[in-house]
C-alpha cells in the first residue's frame, strides 16, 4: 500500500495542459482506440465490403451509359467512389464517439488532468486506419477492374493521403453530431441525411454538365466535387491544381470551426 | 514528460469546501444548496438514499459537472475556474466502473498511466504494482468482460490511485459487493487514509459510514439535513430502535400512545404489518414499557431491538417522527458547517 498513497513531494500545478502534452494525450488516446479496434476486428467488415461492392456496382451500372464502356468510365468513377466511400466511413467516427461517450470510462477521461481535446482527437486520429483500409481497397478494386492511373503510383499515394487527410477533417463535423446527438442511432440518422446529398450532388458519378442548371450550380460549389476533381487531377494527370488547394483550405477551415465547437459541447454535456 | 506526483498543497486544512452547490435538471433540483467541509486527512461519508443528490454532488466536486450555483474548492482551488489543477489533485471512482470493457486490466491501467504523463516503462511498472496490490495480477491480461463486480471495482479504484492523488472520491464503493469483498474495500480505504490521503465517499448504508467515516453528512432531496460524527448522528436517533408487533390491530393506536409516553419519543407506526418502531435511548425504559403495555391489556406478538437503519436516521433527521429537541444535535452540527 505504501507506493499507492505515499504522497511524494510536489511539483508546480498548472491550470492548462501545454500543447506538447495535448499532442501526447491525443496520441495515447489514439493508441487506446487502435487497441480496441484490434479487439473487435468485425467492425471493419463494412469498411472492407463497401469499397468492393460500390466500386463493382456503380462501375458496371453507370459505365456504359456515361462513358460508352466500363474501361473509359474507370478514371472518372474510381476517384468519385473513393471520396464518397471514405467520407462515408468518417460518419462512423461520430457514431462510435457517441457510443463510447455513453460508457463510464469517459467519466474517467474527463476527471483526468489531460487536455480536453485529447479524447476526441485521439479517437478521430485512430479512425484514419479505417480510411486507409477503404482507400487501399478502392484503388485495388479499380486496378483489378483495369484502372491504370496515368499519374503514376507516386501521385496515387499523394491522392490517397489527400483523401485520408480531408476525411479526417470532415470527421470533425460528424464528431460534432456525435457529441450533440442523444443516441448513436440518431447520430447515424442525421449524419446520413447530410452525407447523401453531399456526396451524390457532386461530380462523383456523372458529368455535372448533364444536370439542370440549378443543380449544376450546387454540384459545382459542393466541396466534395472539388475534392473529387483534385483526386482525378492527381491520379489521371499527376497535377495539383486549384481544386487541390481549395480542398485543403476547406479542410483546415472545417477543423478550425468544428474542433473547438465539438470540444466545447463535449465539455458541457455530462 | 514530467512525472505526475502531487502533494497536498501545504497549509491547507480543508480538502473540500463546498458552499451552496446547486444543480438543476429541468424542474428537478437534484442538488439544492449543499454545504460540505472535509478536513484534510480524514474519511468523510455522504450518506443518503438513491436519488438524494449524492452522485450529482460528487460529479460537481470532481469537475465532471458544472454547478448551476454555489462554489466548491478542492485544497483551495476552484472546481470551475481551476479545474485542470483540481483534476491533478483528485482520484475518482464512479458508481459505474469507469474502465474500458474491451481492454484488459493491464491495458486499462497502462493507458491511464500514460495519460498521466508516465513513460512506457514506468506506466507498465505502475500498472503491475497496482494490480498486485489489488490482487488482480492473475487476471491482468483477461478482458474485463469476464470480470466480477468486485474485480471491476478494485480495478476502478486502482485506476484512481495511479497518480497518488491526495483526495479520493468514491461513489458508493461497496454497493453490490458481497460482504467479503466489501470488507476488503473498507480495509483498502482505511489504508489510503493512513498514508495521508483524504477520502470522500458516498454510501446508502449507515453501517458503512459508521465503520469508516470520521464525519458524516446526511443528504436528502439535494440538501444536507445533518452533519456530524457517527456518534452524534446516532445519538439523535437513539442507539438502537425497538420494534413491537401488536397482536390485535385495534390496539395499535393505544399502544403507540403508551410507547410515546413511556419512552418519551415519537414512534413510527405501520398499520399493515402491525408494527411500532421507536428509537431506544435507554434500555432500562423498555421494562417500564412492557409493564405499561401489560397493564393496558395489550398483547404483543413479537419484540425485537434493532440497530438504527438509514430509514430511521432519515425519519428522525428530516423531522418526520421525532421531536425537535432530540434533533438539536444534528441541526446544530449543520449550523456549524454553514458558518
Amino acid at each position: 500500500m505504501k507506493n499507492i498513497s505515499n504522497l511524494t513531494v510536489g511539483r508546480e500545478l498548472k491550470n492548462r495542459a501545454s500543447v506538447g502534452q495535448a499532442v501526447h494525450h491525443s496520441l495515447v488516446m489514439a493508441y487506446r482506440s487502435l487497441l480496441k479496434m484490434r479487439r473487435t476486428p468485425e467492425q471493419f467488415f463494412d469498411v472492407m465490403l463497401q469499397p468492393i461492392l460500390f466500386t463493382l456496382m456503380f462501375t458496371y451500372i453507370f459505365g456504359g451509359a456515361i462513358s460508352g464502356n466500363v474501361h473509359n468510365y474507370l478514371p472518372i468513377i474510381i476517384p468519385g467512389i473513393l471520396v464518397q466511400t471514405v467520407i462515408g466511413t468518417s460518419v462512423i467516427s461520430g457514431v462510435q464517439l457517441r457510443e463510447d461517450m455513453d460508457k463510464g470510462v469517459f467519466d474517467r477521461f474527463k476527471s483526468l488532468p489531460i487536455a480536453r481535446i485529447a479524447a476526441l482527437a485521439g479517437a478521430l486520429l485512430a479512425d484514419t486506419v479505417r480510411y486507409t483500409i477503404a482507400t487501399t481497397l478502392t484503388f485495388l478494386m479499380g486496378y483489378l477492374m483495369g484502372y491504370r492511373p496515368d499519374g503514376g503510383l507516386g501521385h496515387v499515394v499523394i491522392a490517397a493521403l489527400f483523401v485520408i487527410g480531408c476525411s479526417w477533417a470532415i470527421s470533425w463535423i460528424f464528431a460534432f453530431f456525435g457529441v450533440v446527438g442523444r443516441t448513436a442511432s440518431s447520430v447515424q440518422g442525421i449524419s446520413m441525411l447530410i452525407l447523401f446529398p453531399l456526396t451524390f450532388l457532386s461530380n462523383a458519378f456523372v458529368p455535372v454538365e448533364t444536370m439542370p442548371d440549378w443543380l449544376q450550380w450546387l454540384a459545382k460549389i459542393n466541396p466534395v466535387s472539388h475534392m473529387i476533381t483534385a483526386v482525378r487531377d492527381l491520379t489521371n494527370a499527376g497535377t495539383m491544381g486549384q481544386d487541390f488547394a481549395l480542398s485543403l483550405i476547406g479542410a483546415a477551415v472545417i477543423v478550425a470551426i468544428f474542433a473547438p465547437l465539438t470540444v466545447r459541447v463535449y465539455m458541457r454535456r455530462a | 514528460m514530467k512525472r505526475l506526483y502531487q502533494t497536498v498543497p501545504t497549509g491547507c486544512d480543508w480538502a473540500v469546501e463546498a458552499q451552496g452547490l446547486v444543480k438543476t435538471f429541468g424542474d428537478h433540483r437534484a442538488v439544492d444548496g449543499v454545504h460540505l467541509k472535509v478536513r484534510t486527512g480524514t474519511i468523510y461519508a455522504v450518506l443518503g438514499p438513491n436519488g438524494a443528490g449524492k452522485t450529482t454532488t460528487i460529479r460537481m466536486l470532481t469537475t465532471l459537472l458544472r454547478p448551476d450555483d454555489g462554489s466548491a474548492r478542492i485544497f483551495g482551488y476552484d472546481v470551475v475556474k481551476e479545474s485542470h489543477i483540481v483534476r491533478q489533485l483528485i482520484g475518482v471512482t464512479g458508481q459505474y466502473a469507469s474502465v474500458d470493457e474491451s481492454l484488459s486490466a493491464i491495458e486499462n491501467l497502462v493507458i491511464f498511466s500514460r495519460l498521466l504523463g508516465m513513460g512506457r516503462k514506468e506506466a507498465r511498472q505502475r500498472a503491475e504494482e497496482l494490480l498486485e496490490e489489488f490482487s488482480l495480477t492473475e487476471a491482468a491480461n483477461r478482458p474485463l468482460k469476464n470480470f466480477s463486480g468486485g474485480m471491476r471495482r478494485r480495478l476502478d479504484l486502482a485506476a484512481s490511485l495511479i497518480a497518488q492523488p491526495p483526495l479520493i472520491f468514491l461513489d458508493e464503493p461497496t454497493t453490490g459487493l458481497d460482504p467479503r469483498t466489501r470488507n476488503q474495500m473498507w480495509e483498502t480505504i482505511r489504508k489510503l487514509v493512513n498514508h495521508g490521503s483524504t477520502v470522500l465517499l458516498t454510501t446508502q448504508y449507515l453501517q458503512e459510514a459508521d465503520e469508516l467515516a470520521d464525519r458524516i453528512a446526511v443528504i436528502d432531496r439535494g440538501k444536507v439535513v445533518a452533519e456530524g460524527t457517527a456518534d452524534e448522528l446516532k445519538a439523535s436517533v437513539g442507539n438502537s430502535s425497538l420494534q413491537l408487533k401488536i397482536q390485535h390491530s385495534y390496539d395499535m393506536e393505544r399502544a403507540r400512545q403508551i410507547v410515546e409516553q413511556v419512552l418519551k419519543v415519537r414512534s413510527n407506526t405501520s398499520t399493515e404489518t402491525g408494527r411500532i418502531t421507536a428509537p431506544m435511548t435507554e434500555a432500562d425504559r423498555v421494562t417500564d414499557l412492557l409493564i405499561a403495555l401489560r397493564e393496558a391489556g395489550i398483547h404483543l406478538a413479537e419484540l425485537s431491538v434493532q440497530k438504527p437503519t438509514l430509514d430511521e436516521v432519515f425519519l428522525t433527521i428530516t423531522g418526520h417522527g421525532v421531536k425537535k429537541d432530540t434533533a438539536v444535535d444534528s441541526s446544530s452540527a449543520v449550523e456549524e458547517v454553514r458558518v
Side-chain angles (χ1 to χ4, degrees):
Chain A
M1 194 42 78
K2 202 179 254 168
N3 42 23
I4 285 177
S5 52
N6 183 18
L7 308 169
T8 41
V9 179
R11 42 167 243 140
E12 220 179 309
L13 295 167
K14 292 210 180 77
N15 200 24
R16 286 194 78 87
S18 68
V19 176
Q21 281 173 323
V23 171
H24 171 80
H25 297 152
S26 303
L27 289 175
V28 176
M29 290 302 282
Y31 167 73
R32 163 185 172 264
S33 298
L34 289 178
L35 269 183
K36 288 182 69 153
M37 285 181 188
R38 217 177 55 190
R39 282 300 129 72
T40 48
E42 60 272 16
Q43 63 170 302
F44 289 113
F45 277 169
D46 56 342
V47 183
M48 292 168 77
L49 282 178
Q50 201 185 329
I52 297 171
L53 205 69
F54 277 26
T55 314
L56 274 174
M57 227 168 57
F58 285 117
T59 312
Y60 286 109
I61 294 173
F62 295 139
I66 292 165
S67 302
N69 63 52
V70 166
H71 187 77
N72 288 343
Y73 188 43
L74 284 170
I76 300 171
I77 187 73
I78 295 298
I81 291 256
L82 173 70
V83 171
Q84 194 210 23
T85 308
V86 179
I87 292 181
T89 309
S90 70
V91 167
I92 302 173
S93 302
V95 178
Q96 289 213 329
L97 201 59
R98 175 74 268 158
E99 277 177 359
D100 226 16
M101 275 173 62
D102 290 334
K103 290 177 186 145
V105 69
F106 259 70
D107 273 354
R108 177 162 313 279
F109 293 136
K110 283 183 179 174
S111 73
L112 289 177
I114 59 174
R116 298 295 94 186
I117 198 172
L120 302 166
L124 297 186
L125 195 61
D127 282 338
T128 54
V129 169
R130 239 190 283 275
Y131 312 152
T132 310
I133 294 174
T135 306
T136 313
L137 283 176
T138 309
F139 275 129
L140 202 68
M141 276 310 290
Y143 186 84
L144 289 177
M145 290 163 76
Y147 179 45
R148 300 290 178 270
D150 293 332
L153 186 63
H155 284 101
V156 169
V157 172
I158 295 175
L161 292 175
F162 166 77
V163 171
I164 293 167
C166 288
S167 299
W168 176 80
I170 292 170
S171 72
W172 277 102
I173 300 179
F174 298 117
F176 174 72
F177 289 121
V179 294
V180 169
R182 268 178 209 286
T183 61
S185 57
S186 70
V187 172
Q188 172 118 23
I190 294 169
S191 304
M192 283 300 175
L193 220 61
I194 290 164
L195 182 74
F196 269 95
L198 202 65
T199 51
F200 276 97
L201 288 183
S202 72
N203 60 1
F205 302 101
V206 295
V208 174
E209 290 68 38
T210 61
M211 299 176 186
D213 285 348
W214 60 273
L215 200 59
Q216 274 195 36
W217 176 79
L218 257 178
K220 274 179 185 159
I221 60 155
N222 186 348
V224 173
S225 296
H226 291 289
M227 264 182 81
I228 293 169
T229 309
V231 174
R232 282 180 189 149
D233 287 350
L234 274 166
T235 54
N236 298 332
T239 58
M240 285 177 231
Q242 198 195 358
D243 292 294
F244 185 81
L246 272 178
S247 304
L248 287 185
I249 293 169
V253 170
I254 289 175
V255 176
I257 294 173
F258 279 91
L261 202 62
T262 310
V263 172
R264 180 174 291 195
V265 177
Y266 163 71
M267 281 317 297
R268 198 160 293 173
R269 289 201 52 165
Chain B
M1 200 65 42
K2 257 192 257 173
R3 286 166 66 109
L4 264 185
Y5 278 150
Q6 290 94 26
T7 179
V8 186
T10 42
C12 200
D13 284 348
W14 300 105
V16 179
E17 290 168 277
Q19 289 280 331
L21 281 182
V22 174
K23 185 74 200 178
T24 332
F25 297 117
D27 293 338
H28 175 57
R29 280 172 93 81
V31 173
D32 193 4
V34 162
H35 299 258
L36 281 179
K37 264 187 146 186
V38 179
R39 196 174 280 284
T40 302
T42 60
I43 303 184
Y44 195 96
V46 175
L47 174 70
N50 272 331
K54 303 189 297 285
T55 300
T56 311
T57 305
I58 291 244
R59 289 180 69 87
M60 287 192 277
L61 294 177
T62 54
T63 78
L64 295 176
L65 207 59
R66 189 183 275 264
D68 291 337
D69 200 8
S71 67
R73 294 181 163 272
I74 303 294
F75 296 113
Y77 295 103
D78 190 278
V79 292
V80 177
K81 293 191 198 97
E82 292 158 302
S83 53
H84 196 72
I85 292 183
V86 168
R87 291 186 197 113
Q88 291 167 59
L89 297 169
I90 59 172
V92 189
T93 300
Q95 202 166 339
Y96 307 102
S98 13
V99 284
D100 229 316
E101 288 289 314
S102 47
L103 302 180
S104 71
I106 189 136
E107 283 166 345
N108 264 294
L109 293 181
V110 166
I111 285 171
F112 297 136
S113 308
R114 298 273 288 144
L115 284 173
L116 288 164
M118 294 182 194
R120 217 176 287 265
K121 222 176 130 191
E122 196 188 353
R124 181 123 204 133
Q125 201 182 334
R126 182 83 181 124
E128 277 164 5
E129 260 169 42
L130 284 164
L131 286 173
E132 192 172 334
E133 185 60 47
F134 285 88
S135 332
L136 289 166
T137 306
E138 261 173 65
N141 293 309
R142 268 197 269 149
L144 294 198
K145 283 172 195 123
N146 312 324
F147 269 40
S148 69
M151 285 161 85
R152 247 172 250 238
R153 286 287 168 86
R154 263 150 45 212
L155 179 64
D156 208 14
L157 183 54
S160 312
L161 302 180
I162 292 169
Q164 303 173 311
L167 172 61
I168 298 147
F169 289 92
L170 305 169
D171 195 6
E172 300 200 9
T174 61
T175 302
L177 295 188
D178 60 72
R180 207 180 113 251
T181 348
R182 192 193 56 191
N183 286 332
Q184 283 174 357
M185 187 60 92
W186 286 356
E187 257 333 286
T188 311
I189 295 170
R190 285 198 192 98
K191 274 189 207 162
L192 284 172
V193 175
N194 287 341
H195 286 88
S197 297
T198 309
V199 173
L200 191 154
L201 60 89
T202 69
T203 179
Q204 302 188 35
Y205 312 115
L206 179 61
Q207 191 206 352
E208 180 161 285
D210 190 8
E211 282 276 342
L212 290 172
D214 298 299
R215 288 188 85 82
I216 301 168
V218 182
I219 181 167
D220 183 38
R221 289 184 216 148
K223 286 195 165 86
V224 177
V225 290
E227 206 264 4
T229 62
D231 286 340
E232 284 167 358
L233 283 181
K234 277 190 290 184
S236 71
V237 208
N239 282 323
S240 359
S241 70
L242 180 70
Q243 281 211 7
L244 301 173
K245 193 173 178 187
I246 312 295
Q247 250 181 18
H248 307 293
S249 56
Y250 52 79
D251 284 333
M252 282 294 283
E253 188 47 36
R254 238 166 22 115
R256 190 182 64 82
Q257 282 166 8
I258 294 171
V259 167
E260 296 196 352
Q261 270 165 22
V262 178
L263 297 183
K264 296 192 175 60
V265 291
R266 284 273 203 96
S267 67
N268 187 22
T269 330
S270 155
T271 337
E272 308 96 75
T273 53
R275 270 179 212 282
I276 297 175
T277 313
M280 189 176 75
T281 35
E282 288 169 63
D284 277 351
R285 288 242 179 94
V286 178
T287 326
D288 301 338
L289 175 67
L290 293 177
I291 292 167
L293 285 173
R294 192 174 62 187
E295 280 170 357
I298 296 171
H299 295 283
L300 294 179
E302 229 177 86
L303 177 146
S304 62
V305 175
Q306 289 189 340
K307 288 273 172 203
T309 64
L310 183 56
D311 285 345
E312 282 147 359
V313 174
F314 275 129
L315 277 173
T316 314
I317 289 166
T318 53
H320 330 287
V322 80
K323 280 182 206 156
K324 276 274 177 277
D325 55 12
T326 38
V328 157
D329 240 342
S330 51
S331 56
S332 66
V334 175
E335 290 309 308
E336 177 195 308
V337 163
R338 288 191 178 162
V339 170

